[in-house]
Amino acid sequence: MARITMREAISQALWEEMERDPSVFIMGEEVGVWGGTYAVTKGFYDHFGPERVRDTPIAEAVIVGAAIGAALTGLRPVAELMTINFAFSAMDHIVNQAAKLHYMFGGQMILPLVIRAVGGGGRQLGATHSQTPDAVFAHFPGLKVVAPGTPADAKGMLKAAIRSQDPVLFIEHATLYQTRGEVPEGDYIVPLGKSTIQREGRHVTIVTYSKMLEISTKAADQLAKEGIEVEIVDLRSLRPLDMGPVLESFKKTNRAVIVEEGWKSYGVGAEVASRIYEEAFDYVDAPIKRVAQAEVPLPYNRTLEQMALPQVEDVVKAVKEVL
Amino acid sequence: MEKREYLDLYHQMVVIRRLEERSAELYQQGKIGGFLHLYIGQEAVSTGLISVRRPEDRIITAYRDHGVAINCGLSAREVMAELLGKVTGCSRGKGGSMHLADVKKNFWGGHAIVGAHLPIAAGLALGDVYQNQKAVTVCMFGDGATNIGYFHEALNLSKVWNLPVLWVCENNQYGMGTAVERASAVSEIRRKADGYGMKSEAVDGMDLMKVREVSARLYEEIRNGSGPQFLEVITYRFRGHSMGDPERYRSADEVKTWLENDPIGIYHRYLLDNKIATEEELQEQIRLAEEEVNDAVAFAEASPEPPAEELFKHIFVEE
Ligand SMILES: Cc1ncc(C[n+]2csc(CCOP(=O)(O)OP(=O)(O)O)c2C)c(N)n1
Ligand SMILES: [Mg+2]
């Protein structure tokens, strides 16, 4: 196994799938000549050519819409949205078309489509460019929404997404691209819709995903020094949401903190907490805590932005509160 | 135009140029974060366009907005302070480079979502019509923005409702790394206005006097009820799209050719050739501009960070 970055892992998955299956192709802004604004598709244009690595105009609705159409003909497009903030410009096609065509036409239409989008804050990009709206997309039945937090999962889940028969929104985090981890070489598949225990512990369960896995792991390391053993469940997939490992862990620890980067209101934490209350109420020893972004559009100023984003100390504090 | 005005336009362009150069340095030093899109090379566009506006005319643009802000009369101080995220910045440090604005000066902002401000511009103009104000809304955007649906929806509506908008496309040849002809079905962007039955023309954006002349005429026509019009300004950005652009999409030769058409150089020669100003007078303007920008940087660096309460301020008007 090689130790590679998240960027390399995603790039590898795309490359291998394109080599394996000629129906896989990429379309998006600056994916070709530029090599991807986050350098994920660097070298792809020269290797696969402009037919399969298609630079598009700045036009998100037609990027997603045309990818849907191409997918309906049996191709496997990977549509890239430069950032998830621009998904709002393609909202109808994502949630009203991609998420519904299969169901609404009684299963006739099949769209094996992947939409890759980069999300997350913390880079001083201001309110419109820093969002983590994952829960918004996970709200819609018919759209798979995944957001891996490790390089291995990123590779395995992107491959699974490309091979899936369903539309998948694959969310990457802008500040995780340099994160390194062991990644199996070759055909490595991580099935979608499966959460997993990333770290074992017996005192408190942290439920998290994506960038917040990193923050939660740091908090767990810190707490371990004080003798508090945290178990971390990585959701990896928001829809379908696999509560199995969450409930299993909670039945053991009886205490939970849910950590997400997005806003708390109507968010992932709200969903997971109520599912725990609904499905494991008898095991609850303390009110479940949520750590999330302050309820403000993210400001540009670095200090204010960091104040608004969940930090390691916030997680440590929340864990202590449920103990 | 009086000599003082000629010199003032020169001064504005040099302030923008120096402000951008200093911003790039401050970015390298980590004092400016996020995205930073420089206006170097395009100074004559907004300087010419805005030099003939009346106070009641509204200006709105995209994220490449530092020059536009200066031309709208924002001080170099409040622009620089915003870039540094200070509370003395025009958006109190919450907006950053892409979100400068000063509503009192009728500058309705830099906007970071490509094309999103075009429908808003239509609404600004609607507001004026509705309230019997004889004002023009000037909406600036890039060549890349003409390929997104928002552009087409806004142009269409503005024509159907006969809104007083001057649509100004700054065709700087690229949207990030994508050349116009690789993204737009028509390379002559002004042709897109034809589809909406809208009058259009093109102008050399490196020549301040030409931009000014055509702008003055279009403002008056629109003010007198012509309905919306479209102006394509041919220009070039001398620097990368934002900081850290590898610029693999264009050749050094191409950049060099455009650099020879530096808008400040062209205007400098114009002032000398027409004996409007002397070399010494222009050097004096350069010196004053330098001073102004140095003062702005010092002011911004010395300014306080926004206080913590600022995080929860301005979410709603009413609590
Ligand atoms: C809806 C949307 N899609 C993508 C982006 C990312 N983006 C920012 S600027 C830009 C290029 C815009 O080019 P152009 O309109 O020509 O303006 P220029 O930068 O040349 O001034 C892109 C793709 C964005 N901000 N908004
Ligand atoms: Mg452009």
Side-chain angles (χ1 to χ4, degrees):
Chain A
M1 260 202 283
R3 231 183 126 66
I4 58 172
T5 62
M6 190 84 136
R7 173 182 286 114
E8 288 161 341
I10 294 167
S11 189
Q12 211 174 73
L14 279 171
W15 188 281
E16 289 175 11
E17 289 307 295
M18 285 182 76
E19 289 285 14
R20 191 187 59 82
D21 180 353
S23 71
V24 178
F25 71 98
I26 297 173
M27 58 191 284
E29 294 158 20
E30 308 299 338
V31 295
V33 175
W34 190 296
T37 34
Y38 293 92
V40 169
T41 52
K42 201 168 158 194
F44 279 56
Y45 187 82
D46 290 339
H47 183 77
F48 294 106
E51 287 292 316
R52 295 186 68 197
V53 185
R54 307 179 82 99
D55 278 323
T56 64
I58 307 166
E60 284 76 10
V62 83
I63 293 173
V64 177
I68 293 172
L72 290 173
T73 72
L75 297 182
R76 292 186 175 271
V78 179
E80 178 177 322
L81 297 175
M82 193 178 282
T83 86
I84 199 163
N85 305 281
F86 313 148
F88 300 132
S89 301
M91 203 61 178
D92 188 76
H93 289 88
I94 298 171
V95 305
N96 231 2
Q97 312 302 331
K100 294 182 172 60
L101 295 183
H102 182 66
Y103 183 88
M104 196 167 64
F105 291 102
Q108 298 178 74
M109 296 193 192
I110 292 176
L111 45 153
L113 157 74
V114 178
I115 304 165
R116 284 182 50 231
V118 184
R123 298 186 312 141
Q124 285 196 269
L125 298 182
T128 60
H129 276 56
S130 306
Q131 296 165 101
T132 312
D134 313 351
V136 170
F137 295 96
H139 188 60
F140 292 87
L143 181 69
K144 290 184 174 167
V145 178
V146 304
T150 67
D153 283 347
K155 176 174 175 180
M157 291 174 77
L158 183 51
K159 279 176 162 266
I162 291 171
R163 295 182 197 188
S164 164
Q165 294 289 76
D166 296 309
V168 180
L169 176 62
F170 187 90
I171 305 173
E172 298 163 22
H173 198 288
T175 68
L176 281 182
Y177 281 124
Q178 300 290 31
T179 301
R180 282 180 186 275
E182 301 281 330
V183 177
E185 267 135 64
D187 231 15
Y188 174 65
I189 306 280
V190 175
L192 307 181
K194 294 268 171 251
S195 41
T196 184
I197 299 199
Q198 283 283 4
R199 177 191 183 111
E200 294 195 7
R202 56 201 169 99
H203 296 131
V204 180
T205 300
I206 289 183
V207 184
T208 189
Y209 72 99
S210 184
K211 170 76 176 177
M212 291 299 118
L213 174 62
E214 181 187 286
I215 299 284
S216 301
T217 304
K218 284 184 184 157
D221 286 344
Q222 210 167 302
L223 287 157
K225 291 187 192 125
E226 303 177 35
I228 301 167
E229 293 173 28
V230 171
E231 182 144 293
I232 300 181
V233 183
D234 180 1
L235 293 175
R236 303 193 291 195
S237 179
L238 301 181
R239 184 182 284 273
L241 176 63
D242 173 19
M243 285 298 290
V246 176
L247 295 171
E248 197 185 304
S249 175
F250 188 76
K251 287 178 183 171
K252 184 170 76 176
T253 63
N254 311 107
R255 292 155 203 281
V257 172
I258 303 150
V259 187
E260 70 190 301
E261 181 175 318
W263 295 296
K264 189 183 283 183
S265 302
Y266 312 100
V268 174
E271 177 63 28
V272 172
S274 33
R275 295 275 279 264
I276 296 174
Y277 286 128
E278 283 166 1
E279 292 163 42
F281 188 72
D282 292 343
Y283 296 85
V284 177
D285 277 0
I288 296 165
K289 282 263 163 203
R290 290 180 282 163
V291 177
Q293 189 173 137
E295 305 267 328
V296 300
L298 277 188
Y300 162 72
N301 175 277
R302 194 199 311 263
T303 314
L304 293 185
E305 185 187 28
Q306 288 304 321
M307 269 175 65
L309 289 169
Q311 306 292 339
V312 175
E313 308 80 73
D314 301 323
V315 179
V316 168
K317 186 165 164 274
V319 166
K320 290 185 172 169
E321 281 167 5
V322 299
L323 270 176
Chain B
M1 194 161 52
E2 286 182 23
K3 176 169 177 175
R4 186 180 44 76
E5 284 177 77
Y6 279 106
L7 287 179
D8 179 51
L9 294 182
Y10 185 78
H11 180 82
Q12 285 182 37
M13 288 211 285
V14 180
V15 167
I16 297 172
R17 179 67 56 93
R18 274 312 282 154
L19 187 121
E20 296 295 58
E21 288 167 350
R22 287 302 296 277
S23 306
E25 290 167 26
L26 292 162
Y27 192 90
Q28 306 300 353
Q29 295 166 22
K31 291 179 180 167
I32 296 174
F35 290 146
L36 183 71
H37 307 88
L38 303 179
Y39 203 55
I40 296 178
Q42 299 178 222
E43 294 93 340
V45 183
S46 66
T47 305
L49 192 62
I50 296 168
S51 69
V52 286
R53 76 138 168 179
R54 292 192 190 159
E56 65 269 27
D57 297 333
R58 304 171 190 271
I59 311 287
I60 187 166
T61 188
Y63 46 84
R64 203 176 291 287
D65 58 353
H66 311 166
V68 181
I70 294 293
N71 297 132
C72 283
L74 276 76
S75 69
R77 280 185 164 201
E78 57 196 321
V79 170
M80 197 47 100
E82 188 60 38
L83 301 190
L84 267 67
K86 299 302 181 71
V87 72
T88 49
C90 55
S91 303
R92 304 184 64 78
K94 287 160 130 172
S97 158
M98 303 197 286
H99 305 109
L100 306 176
D102 187 339
V103 166
K104 286 203 195 70
K105 296 196 168 78
N106 247 334
F107 172 40
W108 293 88
H111 295 265
I113 297 296
V114 168
H117 64 291
L118 280 80
I120 297 173
L124 291 173
L126 173 63
D128 285 330
V129 170
Y130 195 96
Q131 296 166 96
N132 296 316
Q133 299 293 326
K134 250 190 156 193
V136 177
T137 292
V138 180
C139 179
M140 303 166 73
F141 47 88
D143 45 279
T146 67
N147 302 318
I148 197 161
Y150 303 134
F151 167 88
H152 298 275
E153 296 181 31
L155 258 69
N156 183 63
L157 186 84
S158 72
K159 182 66 185 180
V160 172
W161 286 357
N162 202 39
L163 300 173
V165 183
L166 176 55
W167 300 109
V168 182
C169 176
E170 291 189 80
N171 180 355
N172 62 4
Q173 319 302 322
Y174 295 91
M176 285 190 78
T178 306
V180 170
E181 59 278 10
R182 292 185 64 227
S184 177
V186 285
S187 309
E188 202 187 344
I189 287 175
R190 57 177 287 209
R191 288 279 150 247
K192 291 185 177 178
D194 296 352
Y196 304 101
M198 199 182 290
K199 230 177 86 191
S200 73
E201 55 191 287
V203 67
D204 172 4
M206 303 319 238
D207 190 326
L208 173 68
M209 294 314 285
K210 285 187 187 151
V211 175
R212 187 178 149 91
E213 202 182 290
V214 66
S215 303
R217 179 165 44 78
L218 295 180
Y219 277 74
E220 275 333 289
E221 288 180 16
I222 295 170
R223 210 181 299 284
N224 293 322
S226 76
Q229 298 207 40
F230 192 96
L231 178 64
E232 176 180 356
V233 188
I234 311 297
T235 182
Y236 200 74
R237 71 169 150 67
F238 289 178
R239 300 293 184 93
H241 167 73
S242 175
M243 303 302 284
D245 172 353
E247 294 192 53
R248 273 193 286 264
Y249 50 83
R250 61 185 189 183
S251 70
D253 271 358
E254 179 189 300
V255 178
K256 197 166 150 267
T257 310
W258 279 95
L259 285 174
E260 283 158 16
N261 285 308
D262 187 314
I264 299 181
I266 291 174
Y267 187 52
H268 189 113
R269 274 195 304 281
Y270 171 88
L271 295 175
L272 294 182
D273 291 351
N274 291 284
K275 308 228 169 346
I276 296 165
T278 64
E279 181 64 33
E280 293 70 44
E281 285 168 325
L282 296 181
Q283 290 306 324
E284 173 64 5
Q285 290 304 322
I286 293 175
R287 197 186 60 73
L288 289 171
E290 293 261 348
E291 241 172 51
E292 195 171 322
V293 173
N294 287 342
D295 164 75
V297 174
F299 170 81
E301 297 210 277
S303 287
E305 291 270 314
E309 314 87 84
E310 196 70 33
L311 183 61
F312 294 100
K313 244 190 219 168
H314 308 121
I315 297 167
F316 291 118
V317 178
E318 298 163 15
E319 288 313 316

